[in-house]
Amino acid sequence: MITYEDFAKVDIRVGRITRAEPFPEARKPALKLWVDFGDGIGVKRSSAQITRHYEPEGLVGRQVLAVVNFPPRQIGPVLSEVLVLGVPDAEGHVVLIGPGQDVPLGGRLF
């Protein structure tokens, strides 16, 4: 088990997808995302294996939750700066997690 202090180290914030593109260079089908977390964090890039349920044009404007304090990770030609969060559907394909209504960018999950 972890403590609350352990959980508090994971910085999960709400951001809005401002741009999404196919990522044909990825080993598994993925999209490149640009997510705006507002003042203080700004726009960060991510790679997400979410092609089963999402098309790039349908993602722009959507709010999502992401871990913003992992070190950047190089995924092919993309430097992924945040981990966008999701849960698997019944077949194991990722469904994005986001707030149920519009909230201020950069809001922290706790």
Side-chain angles (χ1 to χ4, degrees):
M1 298 196 62
I2 67 170
T3 65
Y4 179 79
E5 289 75 23
D6 293 330
F7 174 74
K9 292 176 186 175
V10 181
D11 193 357
I12 300 172
R13 304 285 180 129
V14 64
R16 185 179 312 280
I17 297 172
T18 59
R19 184 173 159 194
E21 297 177 357
F23 187 7
E25 304 91 351
R27 286 184 294 159
K28 295 182 180 179
L31 298 175
K32 294 183 274 188
L33 305 176
W34 286 258
V35 184
D36 183 5
F37 295 94
D39 294 339
I41 299 174
V43 176
K44 300 291 182 181
R45 292 180 297 169
S46 187
S47 168
Q49 295 175 2
I50 57 172
T51 58
R52 179 62 167 224
H53 293 297
Y54 304 99
E55 295 291 330
E57 57 276 359
L59 289 169
V60 174
R62 181 187 187 106
Q63 286 193 320
V64 293
L65 291 172
V67 177
V68 299
N69 65 334
F70 282 143
R73 182 173 176 200
Q74 192 72 44
I75 302 174
V78 173
L79 183 64
S80 187
E81 301 170 292
V82 297
L83 176 64
V84 175
L85 300 175
V87 294
D89 66 10
E91 297 176 355
H93 303 289
V94 177
V95 175
L96 294 172
I97 296 175
Q101 63 187 43
D102 210 43
V103 297
L105 298 180
R108 187 169 183 176
L109 175 77
F110 45 133

